[in-house]
Amino acid sequence: MNALASREVLRPGKKGIARWIEGRVFALMPYAFAFLRRWKPVAKFGGMVLTSRYDDVKEVFGTDPVFGAPYKPKLDVIMGGEPFFLGMADTPLYHRDTDAMRTVVRPGDLPGLAQKAEAMAEAIVAAAPGRIEVVDTLVRRVTFSVLGDYFGVPDPAGGDLRVWGTRLFEFQFADPKGDPALRAEVDQIAPALRAHIDREIARRKAAPGKDDVLSRCLAQQKRGVPGFSDVEIRTNLMGFIVGGPPQPPMVVPQAMEQLLRRPKALAGAQAAARSGDDDLLWGYVQEAMRFDPLAPGLPRIVLADGVIARGTAHAAVVKAGDTVLAAFASAMMDPRRLADPARFDPHRPASDYIHFGYDLHQCFGRHINRATLHLMLKPLLKRPNLRRAPGKAGRLAKNGPFAEALTLVFD
């Protein structure tokens, strides 16, 4: 098996009854979360602890000395043992590396990224003959093209960055049981991507080229700024590729599906798109994402014995070594903190949303997401008589946690 030459972005998913069961589990999850929020906000299942209320989820995310990110072991496989800040605790090295990356991933870049994402999406939609597949043809294509160019990491010779990045993302974030077939592909892709970025670093040293994140890293290296050795540059660029572009093809089509289920919300989003009110359009897309976010929750490892929700009636002791699932999908439906959470409201306060995590390991690329996600849908939403394609093609298909396909038609 040559994973390096594959053009299949997603691995084959479950079939038949197994796929149906998987779909039912995801469909019933909101009801299970509602039950847990009401009756067992901190639920223990052996060494697994699930926390479902808004305040408790934020507590877990915000108490790093007790609830540590579990990502380092798999990051070591991907990065060849080099440390990446996603896997670090709250240490001086963590802050040095994140501060270093903020000097090269700049707020001033956001308008340009937004413009490029919208322009490419418009070109794709304009070229479509009244029918378009949203996941791969639109969102994935825009995301990897715009962000790959921004980071300075092009497609590898003979390979596809969409495949490589998505496979490594799956291994890091969506492989709780340790699938050996996936690990075999990762063992090919990870060193190949490291070598590819190493070659790009060497090439750009010889011929600097355009302004992008890689060229800025090399400029910082020339100035002797800590955190910008060749290996550190490669590790951070690789972390951006693995953690960033695979996410929009998951959440943006899911947001589109949620809008399609709500004709009034879809009409409002279309009106915002047609009037050029991008802030309001973001409100619609962000709210749609709340009803089907990136994942049910994020895991944390208990580093020291502690208590969740201390001082409340549902306080629960957790032991070192336990795994806590901080269910942010549930938290964003908690009526204790959100007004009428079952209602679709594009004007909710930003504090209602935990799409991109919270506190120390809040998504580094959240500002890029805020600038671009809604604009990938904007050209499509502007089309007249936008609707689902007939039959199964017009319903969002999912492959495990990944959006797989959604086809829409328009006049």
Side-chain angles (χ1 to χ4, degrees), residues 274-288:
R274 289 167 183 157
S275 68
D277 191 340
D278 291 343
D279 286 338
L280 179 57
L281 178 58
W282 168 250
Y284 275 98
V285 171
Q286 179 175 229
E287 176 72 349

Side-chain angles (χ1 to χ4, degrees), residues 39-297:
W39 299 106
K40 194 66 174 174
V42 183
K44 296 184 179 182
F45 307 93
M48 169 65 75
V49 181
L50 191 150
T51 182
S52 53
R53 288 188 183 176
Y54 183 98
D55 289 349
D56 302 339
V57 168
K58 276 201 163 183
E59 177 189 345
V60 169
F61 284 151
T63 315
D64 192 68
V66 177
F67 306 105
Y71 303 124
K72 185 179 184 302
K74 287 191 173 183
L75 281 172
D76 284 346
V77 174
I78 293 171
M79 305 299 180
E82 297 296 332
F84 178 57
F85 57 77
L86 180 63
M88 296 180 191
D90 188 0
T91 61
L93 181 61
Y94 171 89
H95 290 283
R96 189 207 71 171
D97 284 2
T98 52
D99 289 348
M101 287 301 102
R102 289 190 186 98
T103 69
V104 294
V105 178
R106 303 168 183 165
D109 300 334
L110 298 177
L113 287 171
Q115 184 179 30
K116 287 179 180 178
E118 183 178 350
M120 186 172 181
E122 174 60 44
I124 292 169
V125 173
R131 181 184 178 97
I132 190 167
E133 195 288 302
V134 175
V135 179
D136 194 64
T137 303
L138 179 60
V139 180
R140 184 172 287 121
R141 191 172 156 197
V142 171
T143 302
F144 275 89
S145 178
V146 170
L147 293 185
D149 181 70
Y150 174 61
F151 295 139
V153 182
D155 270 326
D160 189 328
L161 201 62
R162 298 173 305 167
V163 178
W164 291 17
T166 304
R167 203 69 87 247
L168 296 178
F169 178 95
E170 180 183 3
F171 171 72
Q172 178 66 65
F173 300 108
D175 180 37
K177 296 182 179 179
D179 183 345
L182 176 58
R183 176 59 188 267
E185 294 193 37
V186 167
D187 286 341
Q188 294 182 51
I189 292 170
L193 183 54
R194 294 197 298 267
H196 171 57
I197 297 175
D198 284 341
R199 286 190 293 271
E200 284 302 306
I201 292 171
R203 186 178 70 81
R204 295 290 291 278
K205 283 183 175 181
K210 63 185 177 66
D211 175 44
D212 54 24
V213 173
L214 173 53
S215 70
R216 295 171 186 175
C217 287
L218 293 174
Q220 294 289 70
Q221 184 186 80
K222 278 189 174 182
R223 298 186 187 102
V225 177
F228 290 99
S229 69
D230 284 1
V231 170
E232 288 167 327
I233 293 171
R234 177 240 285 163
T235 299
N236 286 315
L237 289 177
M238 196 161 171
F240 292 159
I241 291 294
V242 172
Q247 292 190 40
M250 300 169 71
V251 295
V252 175
Q254 291 171 189
M256 186 72 242
E257 169 68 22
Q258 294 300 316
L259 291 173
L260 290 164
R261 294 181 186 183
R262 298 168 174 83
K264 284 185 63 176
L266 177 61
Q270 289 184 287
R274 289 167 183 157
S275 68
D277 191 340
D278 291 343
D279 286 338
L280 179 57
L281 178 58
W282 168 250
Y284 275 98
V285 171
Q286 179 175 229
E287 176 72 349
M289 288 164 53
R290 185 172 66 88
F291 288 86
D292 191 4
L294 180 69

Side-chain angles (χ1 to χ4, degrees), residues 12-26 398-400:
K14 292 181 172 68
K15 303 293 183 184
I17 188 66
R19 186 170 185 130
W20 182 87
I21 292 171
E22 182 179 76
R24 292 306 89 201
V25 169
F26 279 106
K398 297 187 77 170
N399 180 341

Side-chain angles (χ1 to χ4, degrees), residues 388-399:
R388 297 180 188 274
K392 289 176 64 176
R395 299 281 169 178
L396 178 68
K398 297 187 77 170
N399 180 341

Side-chain angles (χ1 to χ4, degrees), residues 347-400:
H347 302 287
R348 290 186 181 277
S351 59
D352 282 1
Y353 299 105
I354 325 176
H355 287 305
F356 308 121
Y358 176 73
D359 209 59
L360 187 72
H361 287 294
Q362 191 174 17
C363 176
F364 188 85
R366 63 192 180 277
H367 302 300
I368 295 175
N369 289 338
R370 167 63 179 88
T372 60
L373 296 189
H374 56 308
L375 299 182
M376 299 180 197
L377 290 178
K378 182 180 177 182
L380 185 58
L381 289 166
K382 290 164 66 176
R383 264 48 188 187
N385 197 19
L386 180 67
R387 60 203 186 276
R388 297 180 188 274
K392 289 176 64 176
R395 299 281 169 178
L396 178 68
K398 297 187 77 170
N399 180 341

